[in-house]
Amino acid sequence: MLPHLQRIHPQATMSTITLAIDPGAHGAYAIRYPGGNTAVYPFTSESDLCEALSDLAAEAEANSHTVTAYIEQVGGYVGQAQPGSAMFKFGRNFGFVLGVCQALGMRIELVRPQVWQKCYPTKTKKGENGAQHKRELKDHAARLYPGKKVTLGNADALLILDYAKKKERA
């Protein structure tokens, strides 16, 4: 087991581990364990992600938990013109993450950026000033997760995790 994954404690009834993934090139994934503990990790490499998610799925199965993965559903346009090679890599990351989660038997919820970002209003729109928009989203994540080191790289994953929590309560 990877040292960064927490041990999951069994509970009397089946409960859910929530996984939130930002599949961008500098993306991250965040996990909410039964009981509310959260963790966030950078998307460093495909092999590291595979190993971490495999460990998570094994721990969940051993403790009769389910895993629901909320994956940001990316499209071919990110607010400004991008070279075809960059968009291909972005789509490849999305497909890779989706495939790994499906292969591990996780329940999948795709969420478009426009949907989860509505929960976190910003003064700027992504198309107007993308850098400022990202900083405002990072500020939301820092307020929601004061004990975590929130960066521009992991803020989206944490906000998708928070969106998932809100959706699951509804």
Side-chain angles (χ1 to χ4, degrees):
M1 181 171 92
L2 290 176
H4 68 273
L5 290 176
Q6 300 177 9
R7 272 262 185 250
I8 303 164
H9 301 288
Q11 296 179 354
T13 60
M14 183 173 283
S15 55
T16 300
I17 297 167
T18 305
L19 172 66
I21 303 176
D22 168 12
H26 303 286
Y29 60 101
I31 305 167
R32 186 177 65 247
Y33 298 94
N37 290 335
T38 61
V40 63
Y41 307 102
F43 185 150
T44 54
S45 73
E46 290 176 349
S47 60
D48 286 349
L49 183 69
C50 277
E51 187 176 354
L53 297 185
S54 293
D55 288 349
L56 181 66
E59 284 287 323
E61 185 176 342
N63 292 292
S64 298
H65 297 301
T66 60
V67 179
T68 300
Y70 285 79
I71 304 171
E72 185 176 45
Q73 184 178 8
V74 296
Y77 183 73
V78 292
Q80 61 187 17
Q82 298 287 320
S85 59
M87 295 315 300
F88 184 82
K89 181 167 177 25
F90 198 46
R92 183 179 177 278
N93 281 355
F94 171 72
F96 173 78
V97 167
L98 187 61
V100 168
C101 291
Q102 286 176 332
L104 292 171
M106 296 178 181
R107 184 172 154 260
I108 303 215
E109 293 281 336
L110 298 178
V111 58
R112 294 172 26 118
Q114 298 87 343
V115 172
W116 69 259
Q117 288 179 11
K118 279 185 184 177
C119 297
Y120 314 100
T122 59
K123 293 177 184 172
T124 58
K125 300 295 176 214
K126 188 174 188 175
E128 296 170 3
N129 185 342
Q132 178 60 30
H133 180 72
K134 285 287 286 179
R135 283 192 295 275
E136 290 178 40
L137 290 173
K138 177 185 172 269
D139 291 344
H140 278 295
R143 282 189 295 277
L144 291 166
Y145 296 94
K148 302 291 176 211
K149 181 178 179 181
V150 179
T151 66
L152 290 172
N154 67 22
D156 287 3
L158 286 166
L159 292 175
I160 294 167
L161 186 68
D162 187 68
Y163 165 83
K165 181 169 62 172
K166 291 175 181 177
K167 184 177 179 197
E168 289 170 358
R169 286 184 184 163

